């Protein structure tokens, strides 16, 4: 962790081991840096203290591996690498970017993510259609029970992407499938990065939105130039490793075996650039029902200002997520300044956050991918 007083006139004299005695969320290399930083920190200290008091709520997850993936990683008794290695999925396929030694964003140029499977046995992953009708899902436990997946399966580490989309449609009221949506749901998805190596997991939207054609426009600067405009059809679920599993059948045979009519489909299209620069061309044929920006980092990037103004102007629900509550608070302040009104969707914990903490955070606050949601 970096000294919170770094860059305040004098050089840091060592590691940041001196934590704030009140909030415990920030640390300093020395007493002098702590004192010099107090004028800035005093405004956030009480708020961070309240957030630190809710740590147990963030770590409250239903999985058999919950303590290993939360407390033990925070305390450096485990790492994301060791967690994945124990399960045989370290640096493999869609799991590659789930640890610090994974591929960098620059490596998206050579990704074949749409062809990747789970690299897990069929009992551990949703590689075929659900056996029962979907109900309202409010937690990871609900989802795992519905898909008949045991709670020791690590698939939630990847499925937080589509499940966060599902939950966003719930909290914005779109999940009721009013006449506005009919049989097609169009989503503009902003700022994808790691997702570009995990596109196959979005095939699960077929099960989450039965009978609905789901189309997602991925827009962001991390998309390689040569993939700009690329179209991807996810006509099946991500595959398991079992050689004789039904997921290895062709799409036609797959539907015939299940005795179902294939009415759900997921289509994706990639666009390089910022949303406010690409919107007009994209919206001609694909006006959104929902705009979503996972792990947005709104307070960290000035380029969000034009995008937020645009979302407000087109008057569609815009849902953002971030790694911790403090990042959401800072983002909310920025948004309120830009649109001159409060959030229509207050900051709230995402029940479908990724159930493993992010390593080496700037604060002692536990951070999870897609941890909190808020929106306009």
């Amino acid at each position: 962790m970096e000294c919170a007083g770094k860059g305040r006139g004098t050089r840091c004299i060592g590691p940041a081991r001196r934590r704030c005695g009140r909030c415990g969320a920030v640390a300093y290399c020395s007493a002098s840096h702590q004192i010099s930083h107090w004028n800035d920190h005093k405004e956030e200290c009480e708020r961070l203290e309240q957030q630190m008091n809710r740590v147990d709520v963030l770590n409250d997850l239903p999985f058999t591996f919950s303590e290993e993936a939360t407390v033990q990683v925070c305390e450096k008794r485990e790492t994301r690498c060791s967690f994945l290695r124990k399960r045989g999925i370290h640096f493999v396929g869609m799991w590659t970017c789930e640890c610090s030694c994974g591929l960098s964003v620059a490596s998206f140029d050579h990704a074949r993510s749409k062809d990747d499977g789970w690299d897990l046995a069929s009992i551990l992953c949703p590689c075929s259609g659900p056996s029962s009708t979907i109900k309202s899902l409010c937690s990871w436990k609900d989802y795992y029970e519905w898909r008949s997946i045991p709670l020791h399966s690590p698939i939630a580490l990847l499925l937080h992407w589509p499940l966060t989309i599902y939950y966003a449609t719930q909290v914005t009221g779109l999940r009721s499938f009013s006449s506005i949506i009919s049989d097609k749901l169009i989503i503009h998805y902003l700022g994808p990065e790691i997702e570009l190596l995990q596109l196959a997991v979005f095939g699960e939207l077929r099960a989450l939105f039965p009978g609905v054609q789901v189309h997602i426009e991925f827009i962001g600067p991390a998309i390689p130039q040569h993939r700009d405009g690329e179209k991807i059809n996810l006509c099946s679920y991500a595959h398991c490793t079992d050689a004789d599993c039904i997921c290895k059948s062709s799409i036609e045979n797959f539907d015939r075996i299940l005795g179902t009519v294939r009415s759900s489909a997921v289509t994706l299209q990639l666009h390089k650039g910022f949303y406010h620069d690409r919107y007009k061309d994209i919206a001609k044929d694909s006006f959104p029902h929902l705009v979503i920006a996972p792990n947005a980092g709104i307070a960290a990037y000035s380029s969000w200002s034009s995008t937020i103004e645009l979302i407000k102007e087109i008057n569609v629900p815009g849902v953002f997520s971030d790694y911790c509550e403090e990042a959401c608070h800072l983002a909310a302040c920025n948004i309120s300044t830009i649109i001159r009104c409060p959030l229509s969707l207050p900051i709230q914990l995402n029940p479908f956050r990724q159930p493993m903490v992010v390593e080496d955070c700037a604060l002692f606050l536990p951070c999870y991918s897609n941890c909190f949601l808020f929106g306009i």
Side-chain angles (χ1 to χ4, degrees), residues 185-201:
L185 176 60
I186 299 175
I187 297 167
H188 288 185
Y189 190 110
L190 313 187
E193 294 184 346
I194 292 175
E195 300 96 306
L196 297 174
L197 295 170
Q198 301 170 340
L199 293 178
V201 302

Side-chain angles (χ1 to χ4, degrees), residues 125-135 142-149 204 206-208 210 237 246 254 258 260:
C125 59
C127 58
S128 60
S131 58
S132 60
T133 304
I134 189 172
K135 59 180 181 178
D142 287 347
Y143 172 79
Y144 270 56
E145 288 178 353
W146 171 57
R147 292 299 255 140
S148 302
I149 305 291
E204 184 63 8
R206 299 179 72 222
L208 294 167
Y237 299 93
I246 192 175
F254 180 75
L258 290 179
T260 61

